[in-house]
Amino acid sequence: MQISSGFRSIAVAAMAMAGVSLASAAHADSGTIRFSVYKAAFFVGGSGGEGTFTFHGLTYPISIGGVSGGLAFGVSKTYFHGTVRHIRRARDVTGVYGAAGGGGTIGKGAQVILMTNDKGAQLELTGKQVGLQVNADLSGMAISLR
């Protein structure tokens, strides 16, 4: 049975594209992130903070800002640290991240968050929260390099 040259060309092109996309995913890298954020809410909340992002041995200062809406009230400060995955450049960490969640803290508490931005960067964060905070809300967080 003979395969037409047109079909063979399409098959070779498809395999090449699959190889490029696998190679691109394999070259994605990760970095570490640390920041603290203050949050205040009474149904609608706001948050802000700063920290550092380390990528390929260089440390970049970052700013954090965010809003939330839903059932939320209180004031807290959270110290986060974690990993940013699926990035190629330091600026890939910038952008808007979204999450839905719920919880509460009186005094000290723990936080675990997994978020993704529009560039595909994935934040895996753990943190310690101090303050009084009760929430069942949708929230967004923006990270920018300073």
Side-chain angles (χ1 to χ4, degrees):
M1 180 167 140
Q2 199 141 45
I3 299 175
S4 74
S5 64
F7 179 76
R8 191 175 322 128
S9 297
I10 291 171
V12 168
M15 286 188 283
M17 286 179 20
V20 167
S21 70
L22 289 175
S24 296
H27 291 298
D29 211 343
S30 64
T32 59
I33 192 167
R34 295 184 161 290
F35 62 91
S36 59
V37 89
Y38 289 95
K39 182 176 182 180
F42 187 73
F43 293 102
V44 175
S47 59
E50 58 186 23
T52 58
F53 170 60
T54 304
F55 184 67
H56 288 187
L58 298 173
T59 300
Y60 303 88
I62 58 171
S63 294
I64 310 294
V67 294
S68 62
L71 174 60
F73 68 88
V75 178
S76 66
K77 181 176 184 179
T78 307
Y79 302 91
F80 285 107
H81 66 278
T83 304
V84 183
R85 300 187 191 285
H86 309 298
I87 57 175
R88 290 180 180 73
R89 298 170 296 279
R91 69 175 178 247
D92 289 347
V93 74
T94 63
V96 176
Y97 295 80
T105 301
I106 298 176
K108 294 183 179 182
Q111 293 274 327
V112 177
I113 299 175
L114 181 63
M115 303 168 112
T116 304
N117 74 4
D118 60 333
K119 298 175 187 119
Q122 185 179 63
L123 284 177
E124 297 173 7
L125 301 171
T126 59
K128 294 178 186 173
Q129 187 173 13
V130 178
L132 168 63
Q133 186 79 40
V134 175
N135 66 304
D137 60 3
L138 297 173
S139 59
M141 176 176 71
I143 296 178
S144 58
L145 295 175
R146 290 191 283 143

